[in-house]
């Protein structure tokens, strides 16, 4: 399936919200949900929701609503959440530890399988029930546990060498939190996360109310 | 100035990247930068950069480039970074501590002026040279230090009461990291941050390469 050309980044960014809300609705015992109700729960207009979901085919029944299970399954397939990617986090500072405990990550079906740090006082300890391994063993552990996605939560100066080690060990994607531009081979998928973007957007809206 | 109608969210999200790169370029001693060079540094096409920056008027000289100082100043004004908003973080768990130390926030000119927690063992300690106050004193401290933006980094169950306290004490904006939908008065600006969105986008691109 090829969706990238047709789907805007804004839509892709809303899909995990849909997925989590549909999961919750299903747990509550509902089989069908209207775009009005989805909109109310998410603070998104029903028109926007219908537009977003129309890109992926017809999952709804006009005048009734969306079939929750079918729509959840389709959103999951589109996002690739059904693949249950194995994840490793490198760097167990505050940010790495926060990510290791972040329920929004596990609730999307990602498997956290390895944690790494270089600090002797942290190695061997546990974070969210998982043992912290020595980053020196990263190549072996990443291969052994079939890590798909490496999360970089180390200081900027170490980020490139961690990226090189992750790529060398065979990860297919990198989620980078270090404030530095990384060089990775063509074809490797990388998302550079910048937490300050949300704060800038808030400042923008406060400045131009 | 009113920009919201005309500027896409994607453009607003790229502006802090432009701002930081321009600051760096200026520190390196350059007065002028081309869209090609900006693009190379940011991994964005020069066409996209010219399109983004054209929304804010003419800051460049055709065939030469952008005047770094002027463009930096204008991006700063557009984002409202020149207002140097005062920020308070509530919740000194891993995420709150990571945010308190996050250099990308201070590099945009935000002033971190207060930290809060409810845990006796954390109150009175320091994070990034700032004392952690008891959340019971939030109303007084927020007013005293003229906090503009409250950052919510507490567990979901406490998030609404923290939001109420921040709003009551007069903040104008909330940056919410708790995975819960908050009720705030009309006119108050709120950004709900969901770190898992970046990971979902990565999963999407790995699924549809």
């Amino acid at each position: 399936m090829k969706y990238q050309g047709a789907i805007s980044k804004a839509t892709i960014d809303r899909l995990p919200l849909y997925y989590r809300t549909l999961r919750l609705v299903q747990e509550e015992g509902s089989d069908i949900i209207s775009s009005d109700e989805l909109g109310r729960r998410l603070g998104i207009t029903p028109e926007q929701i219908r537009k977003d979901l129309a890109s992926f085919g017809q999952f709804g029944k006009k005048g009734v609503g969306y079939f929750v299970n079918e729509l959840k399954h389709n959103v999951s397939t589109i996002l690739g959440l059904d693949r249950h990617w194995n994840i490793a986090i490198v760097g167990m500072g505050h940010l790495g530890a926060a990510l290791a405990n972040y329920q929004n990550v596990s609730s999307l079906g990602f498997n956290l399988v390895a944690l790494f740090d270089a600090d002797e006082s942290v190695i061997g300890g546990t974070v969210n029930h998982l043992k912290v391994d020595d980053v020196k063993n990263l190549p072996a552990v990443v291969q052994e546990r079939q890590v798909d996605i490496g999360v970089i939560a180390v200081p900027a100066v170490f980020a490139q060498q961690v990226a090189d080690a992750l790529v060398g060990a065979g990860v297919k994607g990198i989620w980078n939190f270090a404030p530095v531009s990384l060089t990775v081979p063509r074809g490797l998928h990388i998302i550079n996360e910048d937490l300050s973007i949300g704060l800038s957007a808030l400042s923008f809206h406060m400045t131009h109310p």
Side-chain angles (χ1 to χ4, degrees), chain A:
Chain A
M1 289 188 286
K2 277 272 184 188
Y3 290 103
Q4 266 167 285
I7 302 180
S8 74
K9 186 179 176 303
T11 300
I12 296 170
D13 285 357
R14 278 189 292 270
L15 291 182
L17 308 180
Y18 294 143
Y19 177 78
R20 263 195 296 263
T21 305
L22 291 166
R23 217 176 69 144
L24 197 68
V25 167
Q26 194 172 40
E27 280 166 13
E28 290 166 10
S30 299
D31 293 333
I32 287 190
I33 190 164
S34 65
S35 49
D36 280 3
E37 172 63 11
L38 257 178
R40 198 191 54 73
R41 287 179 180 242
L42 287 165
I44 300 175
T45 65
E47 291 74 28
Q48 182 68 64
I49 288 173
R50 287 195 292 267
K51 207 179 140 195
D52 281 349
L53 298 180
S55 331
F56 314 122
Q58 293 303 321
F59 306 136
K61 208 170 173 175
K62 204 151 183 156
V64 181
Y66 296 100
F67 299 115
V68 174
N69 192 46
E70 194 187 344
L71 181 55
K72 192 195 80 169
H73 177 261
N74 278 299
V75 170
S76 162
T77 309
I78 289 158
L79 284 178
L81 302 180
D82 56 329
R83 305 200 176 195
H84 300 285
W85 307 104
N86 289 335
I87 292 189
I89 304 176
V90 190
M92 278 297 110
H94 287 301
L95 182 61
L99 292 171
N101 285 293
Y102 195 53
Q103 59 175 318
N104 272 5
V105 166
S106 52
S107 74
L108 292 177
F110 294 95
N111 292 325
L112 185 59
V113 297
L115 305 173
F116 299 99
D117 205 281
D119 183 343
E120 289 290 343
S121 70
V122 177
I123 295 165
T126 59
V127 177
N128 195 13
H129 313 292
L130 202 59
K131 204 183 113 229
V132 180
D133 279 297
D134 190 332
V135 74
K136 280 181 198 145
N137 302 326
L138 186 148
V141 175
V142 162
Q143 282 174 0
E144 216 175 82
R145 301 189 197 162
Q146 306 186 342
V147 173
D148 302 297
I149 296 173
V151 184
I152 299 182
V154 300
V157 286
F158 301 119
Q160 184 63 55
Q161 68 191 72
V162 167
D164 294 343
L166 286 166
V167 170
V171 304
K172 303 175 198 80
I174 287 180
W175 193 24
N176 174 41
F177 284 82
V180 60
S181 181
L182 298 174
T183 305
V184 294
R186 238 185 132 76
L188 190 120
H189 299 276
I190 183 162
I191 295 267
N192 292 300
E193 199 72 49
D194 183 346
L195 299 183
S196 65
I197 287 174
L199 187 58
S200 297
L202 183 59
S203 172
F204 175 84
H205 292 295
M206 288 167 67
T207 307
H208 312 280

